[in-house]
Amino acid sequence: MATPTRVDLDGNPIKPIIVCMIGAGGFIGSHLCEKLMAETPHKVLAVDVYNDKIKHLLEPASLPWGDRIQFHRINIKHDSRLEGLIKMADLTINLAAICTPADYNTRPLDTIYSNFIDALPVVKYCSENGKRLIHFSTCEVYGKTIGSFLPKDSPLRQDPAYYVLKEDASPCIFGPIEKQRWSYACAKQLIERLVYAEGAENGLEFTIVRPFNWIGPRMDFIPGIDGPSEGVPRVLACFSNNLLRREPLKLVDGGQSQRTFVYIKDAIEAVVLMIENPSRANGQIFNVGNPNNEVTVRQLAEMMTQVYSKVSRDPPLETPTIDVSSKEFYGEGYDDSDKRIPDMTIINKQLGWNPKTSLWDLLESTLTYQHRTYSQAVKQALSKAVPSS
């Protein structure tokens, strides 16, 4: 029986394309590669320094997608092969970035170079060769909300006009230069402006993606297991590490910041819609998040403690959380956004996309994976660290 022809949102047949995916070996890249292999006819030139998270897609050769995915071990900082791969492809997706808050004020130069300087050749090659670009930015480009500057007791703080973040209307408000935490957001904003300018002046076909806390299996690393012992991953992996080790979860400045979280599989569906509907996605900036899954970081810690207890069948600690100052946790120069709630009007109108997965369900799926993948390795590491009496 012939496979039915896949069509885009306007009913046109979807033609197979070649995608050059830079950063394919990371958290988002690995899920996007999986989706493209399992559900589309597209070919992927997977560019990264590491391929651990996509190894299962690359071998053995008898996999149903055969050679539709090829891994190219390239460091985009200094490799002349990059332009050749972009020329071979119809579309380039740039996911490469340093995107861990612990690095922003301890490694601000690397952060700026990774997110701006290293991305410049990718934009240039796409523009010069007439190739389409999907560039991954961040919700951090919005910085702080207008509402955060209002008096604490102002009723306007409850007005969505002062905190919901809109791609085409919200200002980008950063802290002072000495707060180096904004090195990341500023580099990301500048590359967005460059991509947009290439579109305006040179006709580059582009889409900019602003992820709002995408969460799921394979996110970041667990320190000392599949990442550096002294490393500090993002909040979900940080809390997972504490839960696996049966340590209290550290709440920076009381965990009062508010965040929204979206399940990686929901978010990847949005990216596939962008890939396969260029006429609706070109020239657009898209928030991709789930405004319904809003919690404070403290509430997130409490939920994760409950979910992990269910998944692992271990009772929660008597003192599940402890408060630490941002200076103690991240070092000098840390600053933070107060709230990050995406407006979904544009992505809903252009691509008809809405996230589906509740926060409880996405945490259960993710923590089940973390427990299955890491609990034995963490137990072994802890037993080696404790000298026998």
Side-chain angles (χ1 to χ4, degrees):
M1 198 171 112
T3 314
T5 306
R6 297 174 69 251
V7 294
D8 65 17
L9 293 172
D10 297 307
N12 304 309
I14 294 169
K15 296 189 181 79
I17 60 168
I18 300 173
V19 179
C20 174
M21 193 186 303
I22 301 164
F27 164 54
I28 295 173
S30 68
H31 285 275
L32 184 52
C33 286
E34 268 183 357
K35 182 89 167 170
L36 292 176
M37 290 304 104
E39 296 181 26
T40 79
H42 309 310
K43 184 173 179 178
V44 174
L45 308 174
V47 175
D48 212 317
V49 182
Y50 305 105
N51 65 4
D52 310 26
K53 294 183 182 185
I54 54 170
K55 263 208 170 101
H56 62 294
L57 302 175
L58 301 170
E59 53 200 37
S62 59
L63 289 165
W65 43 84
D67 63 354
R68 278 202 295 117
I69 181 166
Q70 297 169 1
F71 180 67
H72 297 264
R73 195 178 299 279
I74 288 177
N75 183 332
I76 65 165
K77 282 182 202 290
H78 37 64
D79 200 305
S80 56
R81 291 174 293 170
L82 182 63
E83 185 174 13
L85 291 171
I86 288 173
K87 279 182 173 175
M88 280 170 63
D90 302 290
L91 161 69
T92 293
I93 300 176
N94 191 6
L95 291 152
I98 287 178
C99 53
T100 310
D103 290 324
Y104 304 160
N105 48 314
T106 55
R107 298 168 57 206
L109 285 175
D110 283 346
T111 300
I112 292 164
Y113 271 75
S114 158
N115 290 292
F116 181 66
I117 306 292
D118 297 347
L120 285 173
V122 177
V123 181
K124 178 170 167 272
Y125 296 151
C126 287
S127 188
E128 288 176 354
N129 293 290
K131 301 294 184 176
R132 186 174 166 223
L133 172 66
I134 296 180
H135 183 84
F136 271 70
S137 183
T138 170
C139 60
E140 293 224 3
V141 297
Y142 292 109
K144 300 175 180 236
T145 65
I146 301 171
S148 69
F149 294 91
L150 295 170
K152 287 268 190 288
D153 56 356
S154 170
L156 290 176
R157 275 180 171 252
Q158 306 310 313
D159 182 341
Y162 289 86
Y163 64 79
V164 172
L165 302 168
K166 299 186 178 190
E167 301 96 326
D168 55 353
S170 297
C172 304
I173 307 171
F174 302 152
I177 297 298
E178 66 183 32
K179 300 290 188 187
Q180 297 211 82
R181 187 249 199 277
W182 300 109
S183 58
Y184 172 68
C186 197
K188 282 290 201 185
Q189 188 202 141
L190 191 53
I191 199 74
E192 275 200 30
R193 291 193 182 279
L194 184 102
V195 168
Y196 198 91
E198 280 287 356
E201 288 193 35
N202 297 322
L204 172 68
E205 291 190 353
F206 71 87
T207 303
I208 290 168
V209 185
R210 292 179 179 166
F212 280 70
N213 295 84
W214 296 10
I215 298 294
R218 299 196 293 272
M219 185 177 184
D220 293 349
F221 58 91
I222 297 298
I225 307 297
D226 57 357
S229 298
E230 66 287 353
V232 181
R234 284 170 289 187
V235 66
L236 185 108
C238 247
F239 285 173
S240 298
N241 182 41
N242 297 142
L243 291 165
L244 285 158
R245 294 173 189 275
R246 293 195 61 72
E247 300 166 347
L249 279 57
K250 291 180 177 173
L251 298 178
V252 175
D253 294 339
Q256 293 312 301
S257 295
Q258 288 168 285
R259 295 289 181 268
T260 55
F261 296 90
V262 66
Y263 191 38
I264 183 68
K265 293 190 188 310
D266 289 351
I268 290 300
E269 285 184 3
V271 181
V272 174
L273 286 167
M274 294 173 208
I275 292 169
E276 297 188 332
N277 292 274
S279 63
R280 288 169 175 253
N282 282 342
Q284 297 289 344
I285 300 172
F286 290 121
N287 288 340
V288 182
N290 189 338
N292 301 317
N293 286 348
E294 190 203 3
V295 282
T296 65
V297 174
R298 179 178 289 279
Q299 288 167 329
L300 176 72
E302 289 162 358
M303 277 184 85
M304 286 182 69
T305 300
Q306 286 175 26
V307 172
Y308 191 70
S309 182
K310 178 186 171 189
V311 165
S312 66
R313 298 193 171 90
D314 289 333
L317 295 178
E318 275 186 37
T319 310
T321 62
I322 51 171
D323 288 5
V324 295
S325 72
S326 54
K327 185 178 176 183
E328 185 187 339
F329 193 81
Y330 288 119
E332 264 325 326
Y334 189 74
D335 197 6
D336 207 354
S337 321
D338 50 319
K339 279 165 94 79
R340 290 203 202 123
I341 302 178
D343 181 271
M344 304 300 290
T345 310
I346 293 178
I347 195 165
N348 195 258
K349 176 175 167 241
Q350 293 298 117
L351 302 176
W353 179 81
N354 273 307
K356 305 181 191 79
T357 312
S358 71
L359 185 55
W360 181 275
D361 287 348
L362 76 83
L363 289 176
E364 191 164 354
S365 162
T366 306
L367 289 173
T368 299
Y369 169 86
Q370 302 279 50
H371 181 69
R372 200 175 60 228
T373 308
Y374 294 111
S375 59
Q376 285 309 114
V378 169
K379 275 180 191 151
Q380 284 167 3
L382 290 173
S383 65
K384 282 179 193 160
V386 178
S388 51
S389 48

